[in-house]
Amino acid sequence: MYINTFQYKPEHIDCKLCDKYAAGKGCTADSCPWLAERIEAGVVGYEEAILETFPRNIHLDAKLHLAIRRFSGSLFLTAAHRQRMDGLKARRGKRSRRDTPTYFAAMYLLTVNRELYERTRGCFLPQGLQFEYANVSGISPHNYTLLSAARDIYSDSTKVSASDLARTDVVDTLAFSLIVNALLIARYGCAVLEIGERSRT
């Protein structure tokens, strides 16, 4: 069995090597066709990742720009959030069939705070996530929003619609930023978690 261990580095994805790059004009593409590889190489900032990933939407744009302004230099909400997710990943080990980007996107949301993690830790089974084991009795609206988003992303990330994310009566500002981050993970994998700058030139 052959295991691909190749990892993109900055020199592999120089924009001048792309067929969409024109001398004197720069990039001629409407959107970057190599964004996933550039994220893996560590040359994409948070702003570019957001704006290249989500379609323009008059209702969504303002919230996306607010999420960009609020970016603290890490997709993790706190150091404890990172520790919970890293610890859970270590305890669960590696399973190629289970360890999909959507699995880690859901894990990211379910480890955001201790209360939500305690309510959902029973959902993490060796073969994947079983959301029926979540304890939702008395759960806060904020945590229920994150739990619902995690379930929808894990089952089918297309269920999380831009119109729902844009509604403040459905998704509060903090939950919106966290769900956007989870959708980035679902699309590009855990390499997104290493983004540490708002923008890159």
Side-chain angles (χ1 to χ4, degrees):
M1 180 176 71
Y2 173 74
I3 298 175
N4 184 5
T5 58
F6 178 81
Q7 183 172 4
Y8 284 95
K9 293 182 170 55
E11 59 267 25
H12 298 138
I13 44 75
D14 189 321
C15 290
K16 293 178 181 178
L17 301 174
C18 180
D19 62 358
K20 300 295 183 183
Y21 184 90
K25 294 182 180 179
C27 182
T28 60
D30 292 333
S31 60
C32 179
W34 303 104
L35 188 64
E37 292 80 5
R38 292 176 59 232
I39 287 172
E40 183 180 324
V43 298
V44 174
Y46 187 70
E47 181 175 11
E48 183 180 3
I50 292 288
L51 297 181
E52 287 279 344
T53 300
F54 294 92
R56 300 306 300 268
N57 177 303
I58 191 170
H59 303 294
L60 191 61
D61 282 357
K63 293 192 78 171
L64 288 174
H65 284 285
L66 178 59
I68 291 166
R69 288 195 301 274
R70 289 168 51 101
F71 181 64
S72 64
S74 172
L75 270 72
F76 288 100
L77 184 60
T78 62
H81 179 197
R82 179 187 282 273
Q83 290 169 356
R84 275 188 294 273
M85 182 168 176
D86 287 347
L88 183 57
K89 283 169 70 176
R91 288 191 297 277
R92 290 295 164 194
K94 294 183 179 181
R95 290 191 174 214
S96 58
R97 289 189 179 181
R98 179 200 64 197
D99 295 349
T100 62
T102 55
Y103 173 75
F104 290 120
M107 181 185 287
Y108 168 87
L109 288 176
L110 299 179
T111 56
V112 161
N113 58 59
R114 176 162 292 282
E115 181 192 350
L116 184 55
Y117 175 57
E118 291 298 334
R119 288 176 174 276
T120 60
R121 64 191 310 169
C123 299
F124 290 90
L125 302 179
Q127 67 274 22
L129 281 162
Q130 296 290 331
F131 285 90
E132 59 266 31
Y133 295 116
N135 173 14
V136 296
S137 176
I139 193 171
S140 69
H142 174 77
N143 280 346
Y144 187 75
T145 297
L146 297 179
L147 171 61
S148 298
R151 183 186 59 233
D152 290 346
I153 290 170
Y154 182 67
S155 61
D156 179 4
S157 60
T158 62
K159 288 183 180 177
V160 184
S161 72
S163 58
D164 284 344
L165 287 178
R167 290 179 54 189
T168 53
D169 59 323
V170 175
V171 181
D172 64 64
T173 302
L174 177 56
F176 174 84
S177 296
L178 293 166
I179 294 167
V180 162
N181 292 347
L183 289 169
L184 290 176
I185 298 167
R187 181 157 182 180
Y188 303 113
C190 287
V192 170
L193 292 169
E194 301 308 313
I195 290 177
E197 298 180 30
R198 181 175 300 168
S199 60
R200 289 179 185 265
T201 56

